[in-house]
Amino acid sequence: MSEVLIIGNGPAGISAALYTARAGLKTTVIGKDTGALAKAEKIENYFGFEEPISGDKLISQGVAQAKRLGVEIINDEVVGLNYDGSFLVKTSKNQYSADSVILATGSSRTIPPIKGTSDYEGRGISYCAVCDAFFYRDQDVAVLGNSNYALSEAIELLPIVKSVTLITNGKSPVKNIPEGIKVITKEIASFEGEDELLSKVCFKDGSFINISGVFVAIGVAGSSDLAKKLGAETNGTKIVVDENMTTNIPGLFAAGDCTGGLLQISKAVYEGAKAGTETIKFIRENKK
Ligand SMILES: Cc1cc2nc3c(=O)[nH]c(=O)nc-3n(C[C@H](O)[C@H](O)[C@H](O)COP(=O)(O)OP(=O)(O)OC[C@H]3O[C@@H](n4cnc5c(N)ncnc54)[C@H](O)[C@@H]3O)c2cc1C
Protein backbone atom coordinates (compact mmCIF):
# COMPACT_ATOMS: atom_id res chain seq x y z
CA MET A 1 0.00 0.00 0.00
CA SER A 2 1.26 3.46 -0.91
CA GLU A 3 0.70 6.59 1.12
CA VAL A 4 0.51 8.57 -2.11
CA LEU A 5 -0.48 7.16 -5.47
CA ILE A 6 -0.13 9.48 -8.44
CA ILE A 7 -1.89 8.68 -11.70
CA GLY A 8 0.10 10.17 -14.57
CA ASN A 9 3.85 10.49 -15.09
CA GLY A 10 3.89 13.85 -16.88
CA PRO A 11 5.32 17.08 -15.40
CA ALA A 12 2.42 17.44 -12.92
CA GLY A 13 2.56 13.89 -11.57
CA ILE A 14 6.36 13.72 -11.37
CA SER A 15 6.57 17.18 -9.76
CA ALA A 16 4.08 16.08 -7.06
CA ALA A 17 6.07 12.87 -6.51
CA LEU A 18 9.34 14.81 -5.91
CA TYR A 19 7.69 16.60 -2.97
CA THR A 20 5.91 13.62 -1.40
CA ALA A 21 8.94 11.32 -1.73
CA ARG A 22 11.29 13.90 -0.23
CA ALA A 23 8.84 14.25 2.70
CA GLY A 24 9.38 10.55 3.36
CA LEU A 25 6.00 9.36 2.08
CA LYS A 26 5.81 6.07 0.19
CA THR A 27 5.01 7.33 -3.29
CA THR A 28 3.98 5.39 -6.37
CA VAL A 29 3.42 6.87 -9.83
CA ILE A 30 1.48 4.94 -12.45
CA GLY A 31 1.84 6.21 -16.00
CA LYS A 32 1.00 4.85 -19.37
CA ASP A 33 3.37 6.68 -21.71
CA THR A 34 5.06 10.07 -22.22
CA GLY A 35 1.75 11.95 -22.50
CA ALA A 36 1.39 15.33 -24.21
CA LEU A 37 5.15 15.89 -24.24
CA ALA A 38 5.79 12.92 -26.53
CA LYS A 39 4.63 15.21 -29.33
CA ALA A 40 6.76 18.20 -28.27
CA GLU A 41 9.96 18.18 -30.30
CA LYS A 42 11.50 21.34 -28.90
CA ILE A 43 10.68 23.08 -25.64
CA GLU A 44 12.33 26.41 -25.10
CA ASN A 45 9.95 28.27 -22.79
CA TYR A 46 10.56 26.19 -19.67
CA PHE A 47 13.03 27.49 -17.10
CA GLY A 48 16.55 26.18 -16.84
CA PHE A 49 17.49 24.87 -20.28
CA GLU A 50 19.91 26.99 -22.25
CA GLU A 51 19.22 24.97 -25.40
CA PRO A 52 15.79 23.60 -26.41
CA ILE A 53 15.02 20.19 -24.96
CA SER A 54 12.70 17.54 -26.42
CA GLY A 55 9.58 16.51 -24.52
CA ASP A 56 10.76 12.90 -24.37
CA LYS A 57 14.09 13.91 -22.84
CA LEU A 58 12.47 16.26 -20.30
CA ILE A 59 10.12 13.50 -19.14
CA SER A 60 12.76 10.79 -18.99
CA GLN A 61 15.01 13.10 -16.91
CA GLY A 62 12.08 13.87 -14.56
CA VAL A 63 11.28 10.18 -14.19
CA ALA A 64 14.95 9.37 -13.47
CA GLN A 65 15.05 12.18 -10.87
CA ALA A 66 11.94 10.77 -9.15
CA LYS A 67 13.35 7.22 -9.17
CA ARG A 68 16.59 8.49 -7.58
CA LEU A 69 14.50 9.93 -4.74
CA GLY A 70 12.80 6.57 -4.14
CA VAL A 71 9.56 6.98 -6.11
CA GLU A 72 8.21 3.73 -7.50
CA ILE A 73 7.24 4.23 -11.14
CA ILE A 74 4.89 1.68 -12.64
CA ASN A 75 4.28 1.55 -16.38
CA ASP A 76 0.62 0.58 -16.65
CA GLU A 77 -2.77 1.99 -17.61
CA VAL A 78 -5.25 2.95 -14.89
CA VAL A 79 -8.75 1.81 -15.78
CA GLY A 80 -10.68 2.29 -12.54
CA LEU A 81 -10.71 4.17 -9.24
CA ASN A 82 -12.73 3.39 -6.12
CA TYR A 83 -12.81 4.21 -2.43
CA ASP A 84 -13.25 1.57 0.22
CA GLY A 85 -11.66 3.03 3.38
CA SER A 86 -8.60 3.61 1.18
CA PHE A 87 -8.32 4.49 -2.50
CA LEU A 88 -8.31 1.48 -4.82
CA VAL A 89 -6.65 2.04 -8.17
CA LYS A 90 -7.31 -0.61 -10.79
CA THR A 91 -4.92 -0.95 -13.71
CA SER A 92 -5.01 -3.18 -16.76
CA LYS A 93 -2.68 -5.61 -14.95
CA ASN A 94 -3.16 -5.10 -11.21
CA GLN A 95 -4.83 -3.30 -8.30
CA TYR A 96 -3.20 -0.89 -5.86
CA SER A 97 -4.37 0.81 -2.67
CA ALA A 98 -3.34 4.16 -1.26
CA ASP A 99 -4.14 6.70 1.48
CA SER A 100 -4.32 9.51 -1.06
CA VAL A 101 -4.44 9.93 -4.82
CA ILE A 102 -3.25 12.72 -7.10
CA LEU A 103 -4.85 12.75 -10.55
CA ALA A 104 -2.40 14.07 -13.15
CA THR A 105 -3.32 12.40 -16.42
CA GLY A 106 -3.20 15.48 -18.61
CA SER A 107 -6.12 16.60 -20.71
CA SER A 108 -7.64 13.97 -22.87
CA ARG A 109 -11.12 12.90 -23.30
CA THR A 110 -11.97 11.62 -26.68
CA ILE A 111 -15.39 12.61 -27.85
CA PRO A 112 -16.25 10.51 -30.87
CA PRO A 113 -16.80 12.43 -34.11
CA ILE A 114 -20.02 10.52 -34.70
CA LYS A 115 -23.24 12.16 -35.82
CA GLY A 116 -25.67 12.48 -32.90
CA THR A 117 -23.08 12.31 -30.08
CA SER A 118 -23.69 15.78 -28.69
CA ASP A 119 -27.48 15.48 -29.23
CA TYR A 120 -27.74 12.50 -26.88
CA GLU A 121 -25.13 13.34 -24.22
CA GLY A 122 -26.97 12.89 -20.92
CA ARG A 123 -29.89 11.40 -22.85
CA GLY A 124 -28.41 7.97 -23.50
CA ILE A 125 -24.77 8.81 -24.09
CA SER A 126 -22.66 8.65 -20.95
CA TYR A 127 -18.96 8.83 -20.11
CA CYS A 128 -19.00 6.96 -16.78
CA ALA A 129 -20.28 3.44 -16.09
CA VAL A 130 -19.98 3.65 -12.31
CA CYS A 131 -21.90 6.95 -12.27
CA ASP A 132 -24.72 6.06 -14.65
CA ALA A 133 -25.08 2.26 -14.84
CA PHE A 134 -28.01 2.28 -12.41
CA PHE A 135 -30.10 4.40 -14.82
CA TYR A 136 -29.85 1.56 -17.36
CA ARG A 137 -30.65 -1.44 -15.14
CA ASP A 138 -32.33 -4.22 -17.12
CA GLN A 139 -31.74 -2.34 -20.38
CA ASP A 140 -29.54 -3.04 -23.41
CA VAL A 141 -26.42 -0.87 -23.47
CA ALA A 142 -23.22 -0.59 -25.44
CA VAL A 143 -19.70 0.54 -24.65
CA LEU A 144 -17.93 2.43 -27.42
CA GLY A 145 -14.20 1.64 -27.45
CA ASN A 146 -11.72 -1.16 -28.00
CA SER A 147 -9.22 -0.71 -25.15
CA ASN A 148 -8.69 -2.10 -21.65
CA TYR A 149 -10.57 0.92 -20.34
CA ALA A 150 -13.58 0.10 -22.54
CA LEU A 151 -13.51 -3.49 -21.34
CA SER A 152 -13.35 -2.38 -17.71
CA GLU A 153 -16.42 -0.16 -18.26
CA ALA A 154 -18.25 -3.09 -19.92
CA ILE A 155 -17.44 -5.39 -16.99
CA GLU A 156 -18.69 -2.71 -14.57
CA LEU A 157 -22.03 -2.60 -16.42
CA LEU A 158 -22.52 -6.36 -16.85
CA PRO A 159 -24.14 -7.21 -13.48
CA ILE A 160 -26.54 -4.26 -13.63
CA VAL A 161 -27.85 -4.04 -17.19
CA LYS A 162 -29.67 -6.55 -19.40
CA SER A 163 -26.96 -6.80 -22.07
CA VAL A 164 -23.64 -5.17 -22.92
CA THR A 165 -22.25 -4.87 -26.43
CA LEU A 166 -18.74 -3.60 -27.01
CA ILE A 167 -18.75 -1.55 -30.21
CA THR A 168 -15.22 -1.00 -31.50
CA ASN A 169 -16.14 1.27 -34.44
CA GLY A 170 -13.88 -0.50 -36.93
CA LYS A 171 -10.97 -1.14 -34.52
CA SER A 172 -9.68 -4.53 -33.28
CA PRO A 173 -11.11 -5.38 -29.88
CA VAL A 174 -8.97 -5.90 -26.78
CA LYS A 175 -8.20 -9.56 -25.95
CA ASN A 176 -9.82 -11.75 -23.26
CA ILE A 177 -13.34 -10.38 -23.41
CA PRO A 178 -15.43 -12.28 -20.84
CA GLU A 179 -18.44 -14.33 -21.86
CA GLY A 180 -21.63 -12.30 -21.81
CA ILE A 181 -20.17 -9.26 -23.56
CA LYS A 182 -21.10 -9.16 -27.24
CA VAL A 183 -18.72 -7.48 -29.68
CA ILE A 184 -19.54 -5.52 -32.82
CA THR A 185 -16.57 -4.28 -34.83
CA LYS A 186 -18.54 -2.45 -37.53
CA GLU A 187 -18.09 1.29 -38.06
CA ILE A 188 -20.78 3.55 -36.64
CA ALA A 189 -22.62 5.97 -38.93
CA SER A 190 -24.76 7.75 -36.32
CA PHE A 191 -26.61 7.71 -33.04
CA GLU A 192 -30.35 8.07 -33.50
CA GLY A 193 -33.19 8.50 -31.03
CA GLU A 194 -36.84 9.03 -30.31
CA ASP A 195 -38.37 11.73 -28.09
CA GLU A 196 -34.86 13.20 -27.56
CA LEU A 197 -33.60 9.90 -26.06
CA LEU A 198 -31.02 7.65 -27.70
CA SER A 199 -32.60 4.49 -29.10
CA LYS A 200 -30.38 3.21 -31.93
CA VAL A 201 -26.79 2.83 -33.04
CA CYS A 202 -26.72 2.85 -36.86
CA PHE A 203 -23.77 1.32 -38.70
CA LYS A 204 -22.17 2.32 -41.98
CA ASP A 205 -23.29 -0.96 -43.62
CA GLY A 206 -26.93 0.13 -43.15
CA SER A 207 -27.67 -2.16 -40.18
CA PHE A 208 -28.55 -0.93 -36.68
CA ILE A 209 -29.07 -2.13 -33.09
CA ASN A 210 -31.65 -0.90 -30.62
CA ILE A 211 -29.95 0.38 -27.50
CA SER A 212 -30.88 2.51 -24.47
CA GLY A 213 -27.41 3.69 -23.53
CA VAL A 214 -23.93 4.07 -25.00
CA PHE A 215 -20.97 4.48 -22.65
CA VAL A 216 -18.08 6.20 -24.40
CA ALA A 217 -14.71 4.78 -23.33
CA ILE A 218 -12.30 5.54 -26.15
CA GLY A 219 -8.57 5.30 -25.50
CA VAL A 220 -7.48 5.57 -21.88
CA ALA A 221 -9.42 6.83 -18.87
CA GLY A 222 -8.72 10.53 -18.40
CA SER A 223 -8.58 12.25 -15.03
CA SER A 224 -12.16 13.50 -15.27
CA ASP A 225 -13.39 9.96 -16.08
CA LEU A 226 -11.55 8.65 -13.00
CA ALA A 227 -12.64 11.59 -10.82
CA LYS A 228 -16.29 11.01 -11.67
CA LYS A 229 -16.07 7.43 -10.47
CA LEU A 230 -15.53 8.82 -6.95
CA GLY A 231 -18.14 11.54 -7.29
CA ALA A 232 -15.55 14.31 -7.60
CA GLU A 233 -16.81 17.52 -9.13
CA THR A 234 -15.90 18.08 -12.77
CA ASN A 235 -16.62 20.81 -15.28
CA GLY A 236 -16.72 19.23 -18.71
CA THR A 237 -13.43 17.38 -19.04
CA LYS A 238 -11.76 19.38 -16.27
CA ILE A 239 -11.53 18.51 -12.59
CA VAL A 240 -12.73 21.21 -10.23
CA VAL A 241 -10.05 22.03 -7.61
CA ASP A 242 -9.48 24.86 -5.16
CA GLU A 243 -6.25 26.86 -4.93
CA ASN A 244 -4.67 23.95 -2.99
CA MET A 245 -5.43 21.48 -5.82
CA THR A 246 -7.94 19.79 -3.52
CA THR A 247 -11.04 18.20 -5.02
CA ASN A 248 -14.31 17.85 -3.11
CA ILE A 249 -13.24 14.32 -2.09
CA PRO A 250 -10.91 14.23 0.96
CA GLY A 251 -7.53 12.80 -0.01
CA LEU A 252 -8.11 13.24 -3.75
CA PHE A 253 -6.04 15.94 -5.46
CA ALA A 254 -5.58 16.93 -9.11
CA ALA A 255 -2.86 18.82 -10.97
CA GLY A 256 -1.74 19.84 -14.43
CA ASP A 257 -3.63 20.00 -17.72
CA CYS A 258 -6.53 18.00 -16.21
CA THR A 259 -7.55 21.03 -14.12
CA GLY A 260 -7.74 23.34 -17.16
CA GLY A 261 -6.31 26.86 -17.45
CA LEU A 262 -2.87 27.39 -19.01
CA LEU A 263 -1.84 24.12 -20.66
CA GLN A 264 1.88 24.53 -20.12
CA ILE A 265 4.65 22.66 -18.34
CA SER A 266 5.36 25.45 -15.84
CA LYS A 267 1.75 25.46 -14.65
CA ALA A 268 1.68 21.63 -14.46
CA VAL A 269 4.90 21.67 -12.40
CA TYR A 270 3.53 24.32 -10.04
CA GLU A 271 0.24 22.50 -9.54
CA GLY A 272 2.07 19.20 -9.02
CA ALA A 273 4.21 20.86 -6.32
CA LYS A 274 1.11 22.33 -4.67
CA ALA A 275 -0.81 19.03 -4.83
CA GLY A 276 2.26 17.27 -3.41
CA THR A 277 2.62 19.64 -0.45
CA GLU A 278 -1.12 19.52 0.32
CA THR A 279 -1.03 15.72 0.15
CA ILE A 280 1.80 15.72 2.69
CA LYS A 281 -0.38 17.81 5.06
CA PHE A 282 -3.38 15.53 4.45
CA ILE A 283 -1.43 12.34 5.22
CA ARG A 284 0.22 13.80 8.31
CA GLU A 285 -3.09 15.06 9.70
CA ASN A 286 -4.88 11.80 9.02
CA LYS A 287 -2.15 9.58 10.43
CA LYS A 288 -1.92 11.44 13.79
C1 LIG B 1 2.76 19.15 -29.43
C2 LIG B 1 2.81 19.79 -28.07
C3 LIG B 1 3.81 20.70 -27.80
C4 LIG B 1 3.87 21.33 -26.56
N1 LIG B 1 4.87 22.24 -26.34
C5 LIG B 1 4.95 22.84 -25.13
C6 LIG B 1 6.01 23.79 -24.86
O1 LIG B 1 6.84 24.08 -25.72
N2 LIG B 1 6.04 24.35 -23.63
C7 LIG B 1 5.14 24.07 -22.65
O2 LIG B 1 5.24 24.59 -21.55
N3 LIG B 1 4.13 23.18 -22.89
C8 LIG B 1 4.01 22.57 -24.09
N4 LIG B 1 2.99 21.68 -24.32
C9 LIG B 1 2.01 21.44 -23.26
C10 LIG B 1 2.57 20.47 -22.20
O3 LIG B 1 3.01 19.29 -22.84
C11 LIG B 1 1.50 20.15 -21.16
O4 LIG B 1 0.95 21.34 -20.63
C12 LIG B 1 2.08 19.34 -20.01
O5 LIG B 1 2.71 18.17 -20.50
C13 LIG B 1 0.98 18.96 -19.02
O6 LIG B 1 1.50 18.12 -18.06
P1 LIG B 1 0.57 17.07 -17.29
O7 LIG B 1 1.48 16.34 -16.36
O8 LIG B 1 -0.62 17.74 -16.75
O9 LIG B 1 0.02 16.08 -18.45
P2 LIG B 1 0.79 15.15 -19.49
O10 LIG B 1 2.14 15.68 -19.79
O11 LIG B 1 -0.14 14.92 -20.61
O12 LIG B 1 1.00 13.80 -18.71
C14 LIG B 1 -0.07 12.98 -18.38
C15 LIG B 1 0.43 11.59 -18.08
O13 LIG B 1 -0.66 10.78 -17.65
C16 LIG B 1 -0.55 9.49 -18.24
N5 LIG B 1 -1.89 8.91 -18.30
C17 LIG B 1 -3.00 9.43 -18.90
N6 LIG B 1 -4.06 8.62 -18.69
C18 LIG B 1 -3.59 7.57 -17.96
C19 LIG B 1 -4.20 6.39 -17.43
N7 LIG B 1 -5.49 6.12 -17.58
N8 LIG B 1 -3.41 5.53 -16.75
C20 LIG B 1 -2.09 5.78 -16.56
N9 LIG B 1 -1.47 6.89 -17.02
C21 LIG B 1 -2.21 7.76 -17.71
C22 LIG B 1 0.05 9.73 -19.60
O14 LIG B 1 0.70 8.57 -20.02
C23 LIG B 1 1.04 10.87 -19.27
O15 LIG B 1 2.27 10.35 -18.87
C24 LIG B 1 2.92 21.04 -25.55
C25 LIG B 1 1.93 20.09 -25.82
C26 LIG B 1 1.86 19.48 -27.06
C27 LIG B 1 0.77 18.47 -27.32
Side-chain angles (χ1 to χ4, degrees), residues 7-13 30-37 39-46 59 76-79 104-108 220-222 226 255-258 262-266 268:
I7 306 176
N9 59 334
I30 304 178
K32 191 178 149 33
D33 51 34
T34 318
L37 281 174
K39 296 169 203 137
E41 262 174 53
K42 271 187 186 179
I43 295 156
E44 56 181 9
N45 59 358
Y46 184 58
I59 285 298
D76 201 349
E77 177 188 338
V78 174
V79 295
T105 64
S107 70
S108 68
V220 296
L226 296 171
D257 282 4
C258 65
L262 185 69
L263 304 184
Q264 289 284 281
I265 299 163
S266 47

Side-chain angles (χ1 to χ4, degrees), residues 121-178:
E121 276 172 356
R123 297 194 183 90
I125 292 187
S126 165
Y127 291 86
C128 179
V130 172
C131 321
D132 295 341
F134 189 68
F135 299 125
Y136 297 93
R137 57 197 182 280
D138 300 325
Q139 298 183 47
D140 298 309
V141 302
V143 174
L144 172 55
N146 69 324
S147 59
N148 285 317
Y149 174 47
L151 183 59
S152 160
E153 290 287 89
I155 292 169
E156 193 84 50
L157 290 161
L158 207 51
I160 301 163
V161 300
K162 187 168 152 201
S163 76
V164 181
T165 304
L166 190 68
I167 305 180
T168 69
N169 198 21
K171 305 240 166 64
S172 310
V174 64
K175 294 199 177 81
N176 302 325
I177 296 176

Side-chain angles (χ1 to χ4, degrees), residues 42-59:
K42 271 187 186 179
I43 295 156
E44 56 181 9
N45 59 358
Y46 184 58
F47 175 82
F49 295 90
E50 191 175 5
E51 294 300 323
I53 182 166
S54 75
D56 256 345
K57 183 137 195 247
L58 187 64
I59 285 298

